[in-house]
Amino acid sequence: MNSSGEYFLKTYLDERKNYINEALEHYLPQADTYPSVLSRAVRYSVFAGGKRLRPILCIAAAEAVGGTKEKVCAVACALEMIHTYSLIHDDLPAMDDDEYRRGILTNHKVFGEGIAILAGDALLTEAFSLMSEFNSKEKESAVLRLGVIHEIAKAAGIYGMVGGQTVDLDSEGREVDFETLQYIHTHKTEAMITASLRAGAITAEGSKLQISEITEYGKKIGLAFQIIDDILDLEGNSKTLGKKTGCDGARKKITYPSHAGLEFSRTKAHELVKSARADLASFDNRADPLRMIASYIVERVS
Ligand code: GRG
């Protein structure tokens, strides 16, 4: 990406991130809302930082088909709540047992395991409460929204992220084949990324063709994102990443680079991104943020 592209993308990501943070502030309970320990635990992880990639993809997909960020705001925030719940639970001693996330101590290290589990549960539940709330003006889009809620539920549950996490957990320390690795990647990471994009495009009433092209783009950047995540665990800087590196190797986890080698993995991620950008060929310049986010995914350092 050239420097004017970089500036455009940085401005876009910063603006959308601030918009999401303000909206999350509005939707989440204040720190003193009873029971305060739960409110504080929820806020601790949500406002610990994070790229806000999933809500930004939701907004960018909506904008690419001619919609607005306001129209998808609640769904976008719900996606970040689901993502944050998954990070809190992923860090628990029963799962990855991590000490740091987003540059600060993990939720259970600060609030204890019980409250961390409940903070994750609360975020997941509130996400669905938020998405299913309508004001009188939005009633006619209720059927559309119901479809979006259903898709997000599928992407987050057994047939998506939780399924992927289960196979990941179950495979630790064991020899697994490439097919299993692909199952883990597509379900644990890619499903929610694709669902975020589809949620934006569907809510903003994109055409069938636009939604299907955005879906193809999502599958490719979702896999590229996970491959880069595996590479960053090997080569990244723990300070920039805000968490420990080298964890996959220590836990004997099969990753894309451990299976296919570093160079092949890097090339694969770049090819996926190139192909994802090509999927957007019929879109006008309103899809530029999506095009640039694809490139950013392989260039990112955190
Ligand atoms: C516990 C049900 C359950 C699922 C956990 C998200 C996840 C599944 C695990 C997190 C561990 C991990 C490294 C997953 C693969 C890639 C990924 C989702 C990284 C974290 O997402 P980012 O980079 O994080 O978007 P930020 O902090 O920027 O939001």
Side-chain angles (χ1 to χ4, degrees):
M1 214 184 302
N2 62 29
S3 61
S4 70
E6 268 173 30
Y7 178 76
F8 173 84
L9 181 64
K10 190 183 173 321
T11 310
Y12 182 86
L13 294 178
D14 285 349
E15 275 176 4
R16 297 304 178 275
K17 193 169 157 177
N18 291 340
Y19 177 75
I20 291 297
N21 286 344
E22 276 173 29
L24 282 167
E25 182 63 54
H26 168 74
Y27 290 132
L28 288 171
Q30 292 303 301
D32 58 1
T33 300
Y34 190 79
S36 158
V37 65
L38 182 62
S39 303
R40 284 186 286 115
V42 158
R43 295 178 63 90
Y44 176 83
S45 290
V46 171
F47 295 116
K51 297 180 285 296
R52 308 297 192 222
L53 179 67
R54 292 145 195 84
I56 291 175
L57 286 172
C58 177
I59 290 174
E63 290 171 337
V65 301
T68 62
K69 58 183 185 311
E70 288 74 18
K71 182 143 190 180
V72 297
C73 180
V75 173
C77 288
L79 287 161
E80 186 63 23
M81 291 182 195
I82 297 171
H83 172 59
T84 307
Y85 122 75
S86 78
L87 298 180
I88 296 174
H89 281 194
D90 185 65
D91 292 334
L92 286 167
M95 298 222 193
D96 275 2
D97 195 10
D98 276 316
E99 243 187 307
Y100 287 93
R101 167 76 67 181
R102 293 176 163 174
I104 56 171
L105 284 172
T106 45
N107 200 290
H108 66 273
K109 287 279 172 200
V110 176
F111 295 94
E113 269 183 67
I115 297 295
I117 292 170
L118 292 168
D121 293 341
L123 280 167
L124 177 61
T125 316
E126 279 307 307
F128 285 92
S129 163
L130 175 58
M131 286 190 286
S132 54
E133 200 177 317
F134 287 96
N135 64 38
S136 55
K137 280 193 232 132
E138 292 170 323
K139 287 248 159 62
E140 64 282 5
S141 49
V143 174
L144 206 67
R145 177 75 71 88
L146 197 57
V148 166
I149 295 172
H150 181 72
E151 284 209 20
I152 293 175
K154 285 278 179 221
I158 299 178
Y159 307 103
M161 184 175 67
V162 175
Q165 177 79 350
T166 303
V167 178
D168 194 13
L169 195 65
D170 201 41
S171 306
E172 256 180 51
R174 290 203 283 123
E175 289 269 315
V176 294
D177 55 21
F178 192 59
E179 218 175 282
T180 308
L181 173 71
Q182 275 195 308
Y183 179 93
I184 295 170
H185 282 181
T186 52
H187 290 72
K188 190 172 107 171
T189 315
E190 182 247 290
M192 281 300 289
I193 288 184
T194 305
S196 302
L197 287 152
R198 284 181 58 83
I202 295 170
T203 307
E205 298 178 49
S207 70
K208 261 195 172 153
L209 181 64
Q210 286 175 319
I211 294 167
S212 118
E213 286 169 347
I214 284 181
T215 304
E216 286 312 304
Y217 160 93
K219 287 181 183 167
K220 289 167 191 165
I221 66 154
L223 180 55
F225 182 84
Q226 181 60 62
I227 295 175
I228 296 298
D229 208 73
D230 288 352
I231 294 176
L232 287 172
D233 186 69
L234 272 178
E235 292 197 319
N237 178 317
S238 60
K239 221 172 176 176
T240 326
L241 285 166
K243 59 179 186 178
K244 230 167 99 183
T245 51
C247 300
D248 296 338
R251 286 189 202 106
K252 296 198 172 63
K253 269 193 188 182
I254 180 180
T255 63
Y256 217 95
S258 76
H259 182 90
L262 209 52
E263 267 331 293
F264 182 88
S265 304
R266 223 178 249 126
T267 308
K268 175 81 186 171
H270 277 94
E271 280 170 7
L272 283 164
V273 160
K274 196 170 164 202
S275 173
R277 287 174 62 110
D279 287 327
L280 302 179
S282 69
F283 284 76
D284 63 22
N285 60 3
R286 286 175 294 185
D288 281 352
L290 286 181
R291 295 185 178 98
M292 288 184 184
I293 290 169
S295 303
Y296 153 81
I297 277 174
V298 281
E299 285 161 19
R300 74 193 174 101
V301 288
S302 71

